[in-house]
Amino acid sequence: MLKEHTPLITSYPGLLAEHARCKPLLDSRLETGRTTGRRQILVCGGTGCHTSESALILENFQKQIARQGLGSAVKASATGCFGFCEKGPIVKVFPDDVFYVQVKPEDVEEIVDVHIIGNQRVKRLLYEEPQLKATVETQHAMSFYRKQQRIALRNCGLIAPEDINEYLATGGYLSLGKALTEMTPEAVIDVIKRSGLRGRGGAGFSTGRKWEFGRNYAGDEKFVICNADEGDPGAFMDRSIMEGDSHSVIEGMAIAGYAIGAHRGYVYIRAEYPLAVSRLQIALAQAREYGLLGHNILGSGFDFDIEVKLGAGAFVCGEETALIHSIQGERGEPRTKPPFPAQSGLWNKPTIVNNVETLANVPAIIARGAEWYAGIGTATSKGTKVFALAGQINNVGLVEVPMGTTLREIIYDIGGGIRGGKEFKAVQTGGPSGGCIPRQFLDTPIDYESLAQIGSIMGSGGMIVMSDKDCMVNIAKFYLEFTVDESCGRCLPCRIGTKRLHEILTNITEGKGTPADLVELRELSAVIMDASLCGLGQTAPNPVLSTMKYFWDEYEAHVLHKTCPAGVCQKLLRYEIIPDKCVGCTACARACPVGCISGAVKQLHVIDQSRCIKCGACMAKCKFKAIYRH
Amino acid sequence: MPRVNPKPQERVLPPETYAELDAFIAALHLDREDERRKESLIQVLHKAQHLFGFLPEEVQLHIADAFAINHAEVSGVISFYNYFTTTPKGKYQINVCLGTACYVNGAEKVLQEFEHILGIRSGQVTEDGKFSIESLRCVGACGLAPVVTINDRVYGKVQPGKVQEILEHYLVEASGEEAPVHA
Ligand SMILES: Cc1cc2nc3c(=O)[nH]c(=O)nc-3n(C[C@H](O)[C@H](O)[C@H](O)COP(=O)(O)O)c2cc1C
Ligand code: SF4
Ligand code: SF4
Ligand code: FES
C-alpha cells in the first residue's frame, strides 16, 4: 500500500504529485482487457446491493484471499453502485472486465478458485442477455451499458468511495486545483456557462448563470448548498452519487464556492439515506485531512469547508427556500420568490443551491472544457442525464445517457423492455410534479423542452415504467395522495385543492365518479397551478392532467361503465362464476373469507355480490377456471 | 423569555439518557446570543429521538432550554417533520415503502398483510409495544421493490406471502427476551 507519509497537500504541484503517486491504484481497472498481472475485485456497496449482503461478500473475498495467500496478486474492495441494481449484488473483476451478477456470499470461494486462480470464468454467475439468450462476459459488451455515457457517474463502480486516494487517482481534485491556481472566479463561471450545464434538480436553470448571480450579489458572507434531499419517490440518482463518489460533489461545491466567493457549504441530505450520509462524512474528513477543504486550500488563499445537515422527512424541503428554512432550524416552508436565494438565501446572504448531480458534473467540465461538454446532447440541453429506471421494467437500475437519447432506447435497449412480457403503457417522469408519457411518444429525444412539450418534465430523473397492468387513474390518485401528505399547508389552493383532487380520484376509482367530476378535476387543477406559492402546488395537478390527456378512455371506463380496464381498482372488480364451468366442488365457498358464496355440493355456486369484498380468494382456489374477474 | 426547566423529578425518562443528550449538546458549543445556534436544532432533535425513541414534552422542554428558545418553536419544528414522533414507536419499527417503484410493484398489499397479521393499522403500535407499522416514501433501493425496513434491516422484493416469515424471526426474538421472566 501507498502509505506512511503526511497526506497534507499544500500546493497545486503537490496535488499533481499526489495524483501521480495514487495513479497506479487504478491501473488495472482502467486498462481493461488485460488478463494477467494483479487483479482487483470490486463488490457493489450501494444501498441496493448492501441490502442483499454485499458486505458479507466482500468479507468472504478478503478471507479467501488471505487463506489462499493471494494478497499480492489480488485486492478486493467495495465500490459505489454499478447501476445494474436489478441483478445485484454485482462483483466485477478487473482488469478482465468480467461482470458477475446476483452473487451470493457462498459463491465467493468458487470465484476465487475458478477465476482468480484458475483463470476461467464462473459461467453460471455471468449475465445472460435476455434477447440473445447468451451470457456476456464483459461489462462493456452488455447492452445495458453500451448506450450509456457516464459523466456524473464516472466513478461509481470504479473506485472505492471510502478511499480518497482512489479519487485522487482518477484525477480527482485536479479541477479544484486548476480553478484555484490557473483560473479567476469569472473564468470558472464562464466555462460552466459555455458548457451549457443546466440544473439537474428539476427546473433546469443554467448553472453558470446562477453562479454569476451568486457572484454579482454583494454580501459579506455567501453560501453554497448542495441539495441532496432527493424527494421524488422512486428515484435514487443522488443517493448513488453520494454513496459511490461523494468526493466529486465535494469538489464541485468547492469550485462553486470559489466561483461565487463563498467559504462555507452545506449538504442537505435526507435522513433516509444513512449509508450516503456516512460515506459523505468519511469523504469530508479525508478531504480536510489532505488539506483539500479548510484553510488556504492548496496555498491559494481560498478557504472553504462543508457541513452536513440532515433532513427530517419532508418532501417540500427539497424546494430551495424551504430547504434554507430547514437548515436554519425552522419549519421547512417555502417562501415567495423573488428574491431568489442567489440574492438572499441562508441567513439572508447570497446563496446558491445546486443539485447533487449538477455539482458532480462540475469537476468533469473544468477538467475537459466547456466545448467537450457542450458537444454532448441537444441544442438546448447539454451533457448527460442520470435516470433511475424502475417499475415494470426488466433492468431496474441507474442509467446515464446523453441528452437527446429517446425514451425507446432507454426503456428497450438499456432497460431490456417490459417485465414479464407485459405491454408498455406509459412512462412517468418527474415524479409527483411530472406526467405520464404514452407509447406514441416513445421516440421523443429527451431533453428539458421536449418533455415539457408532451406534458411531463425532466424532473430530477425518476423514470417509472408502467404496463397494461397499471391503472392510470389509480396512478394519478397515488401521486395526489403523495402531494396531499406533503403539502406544507401554507397555501389554501394547494392544501385544500389537492385534497379535493384526491377525493374525486378516490371516488372515481371506487365507482362513484360522475361526468361532472371530470370537469371539476380540470377546473380545480387550473386553480391549484395558478394560485400556489411553490413548485409543489404549481405542479401537483400534472399527474392528473397528463393521464386525463392521454388515458381519457380509462377515466371514461371508470366513470361511465364503472369498470377498471387494468383490473386494479378493487371496488370496481366483480367476481362471477361461469355456470357452464362450475362443477359444484365447493372449493370457492370454503375459501371465501366472508362466506358469500352459496351452493350445494355438485350444484352451481353463486356469489352474493353485495357481500363480496373482492379479495380474489375464490378465483385462486377454483381448479376449473369457473370464476372470472371483470 | 425566561422559563423554568421542569424539575428533574417530574421527568419519567432516564437521567442517564438526558446526560448523554447534554453531552452531545455541550459539544456543539451553542452560543445563546447567536441567532444561528438554531442551525443545530434539527440535529439535536435527531439525536434526542435516537436516544429516547421519541420526543415527548419533557424532552422538548429540555431542548428548548438548551437553545434558549420557546417551547412552541421546538414543538412547531417537530410537528412539521414526518421523521419526528412525540409518541413511542414499537421496539421493532416496520416501515413499508410506498414510493412509486414499490407501489407499482404491489407494496400496498404488503402493507395490508403486515396490518392484517399484527392486527394494527399503519401509524399504530401493538399493545405489547413490540411492533409499529409505518409507511415511508422511497429508501432509494427501488431495484429491490417492494422494500420493507425493520429497524436498520432492509428487506427487498417482499411479497405478501413472505410477510409471515419475516415477522416470525422477530416474534421469536421478542418472546425469547421474555423467557427469563417466566422461567
Ligand atoms: C416541491 C419541490 C421539491 C424539490 N425537490 C428537490 C430535490 O429533492 N432535489 C433537488 O435537487 N431539487 C429539488 N427541487 C428543486 C430545487 O428547488 C432547486 O431548484 C434545485 O435544487 C436547484 O439546483 P439545480 O439548479 O442544480 O437543479 C424541488 C423543488 C420543489 C418545488
Ligand atoms: S404550494 Fe403547497 S407546498 Fe408550496 S408553499 Fe404552498 S401549500 Fe406549501
Ligand atoms: S372475491 Fe373473495 S369475497 Fe368475493 S366471493 Fe370470492 S372469495 Fe368471496
Ligand atoms: S420506491 Fe420504494 S425504495 Fe424507492
Side-chain angles (χ1 to χ4, degrees), chain A residues 233 239 309 330-331 347 485, chain B residues 36 39 76 81 100 137 140:
Chain A
R239 172 181 70 66
K309 289 284 173 198
E330 295 158 18
R331 293 164 66 88
W347 303 114
D485 279 354
Chain B
R36 294 189 189 177
E39 270 190 18
Y81 296 96
T100 321
R137 311 273 187 179

Side-chain angles (χ1 to χ4, degrees), chain A residues 198-207 210 225-232 238 270 315-321 323 334 337 353-359 433 448 460 534-539:
Chain A
R198 295 169 67 176
R200 301 295 190 240
F205 191 78
S206 155
T207 306
K210 187 183 278 187
I225 296 175
C226 168
N227 188 343
D229 198 42
E230 192 153 66
D232 176 0
D238 296 347
R270 301 181 73 196
F315 171 69
V316 75
C317 285
E319 196 280 335
E320 52 191 10
T321 61
L323 186 156
K337 295 187 274 191
V353 181
N354 274 130
N355 166 264
V356 169
E357 187 186 333
T358 313
L359 290 163
S433 307
Y448 290 95
S460 57
C534 87
L536 190 150
Q538 288 159 5
T539 58

Side-chain angles (χ1 to χ4, degrees), chain B residues 38-51:
Chain B
K38 276 179 58 195
E39 270 190 18
S40 311
L41 178 59
I42 291 179
Q43 191 186 344
V44 168
L45 292 174
H46 270 295
K47 182 75 186 180
Q49 179 156 311
H50 182 74
L51 291 172

Side-chain angles (χ1 to χ4, degrees), chain B residues 2 4 9 13 44 47-48 55 61-62 69 75 85 99 105 155 157 161 176 179:
Chain B
V4 191
Q9 58 263 43
L13 294 171
V44 168
K47 182 75 186 180
L55 300 168
L61 287 165
H62 186 79
I69 54 178
S75 64
T85 172
N105 279 300
Y155 295 86
K157 307 204 172 169

Side-chain angles (χ1 to χ4, degrees), chain A residues 48 51 86 221 223 233-234 236 239 266 270-271 273 309-314 316-317 326-333 347 349 390-392 396 419 464 474-475 478-479 482 485-486 488, chain B residues 35-43 46 73 75-77 79-84 98-101 103-105 108-109 112 136-145 153-157:
Chain A
T51 307
E86 179 67 32
E221 212 183 350
F223 300 106
F236 48 99
R239 172 181 70 66
Y266 291 85
R270 301 181 73 196
Y273 287 177
K309 289 284 173 198
L310 286 194
V316 75
C317 285
S326 185
I327 292 183
Q328 292 178 180
E330 295 158 18
R331 293 164 66 88
E333 288 171 359
W347 303 114
K349 308 289 180 189
Q392 310 295 345
V396 170
R419 200 175 259 179
I464 308 278
N474 187 53
I475 291 293
F478 165 79
Y479 281 110
F482 180 87
D485 279 354
E486 298 297 340
C488 80
Chain B
E35 62 160 349
R36 294 189 189 177
R37 68 186 181 281
K38 276 179 58 195
E39 270 190 18
S40 311
L41 178 59
I42 291 179
Q43 191 186 344
H46 270 295
E73 226 171 313
S75 64
V77 168
S79 67
F80 184 83
Y81 296 96
N82 295 332
Y83 202 89
F84 298 131
L98 289 186
T100 321
Y103 185 82
V104 301
N105 279 300
E108 230 181 358
K109 291 223 168 75
Q112 282 166 4
L136 50 72
R137 311 273 187 179
C138 196
V139 293
C142 316
L144 300 173
R153 248 205 100 155
V154 183
Y155 295 86
K157 307 204 172 169

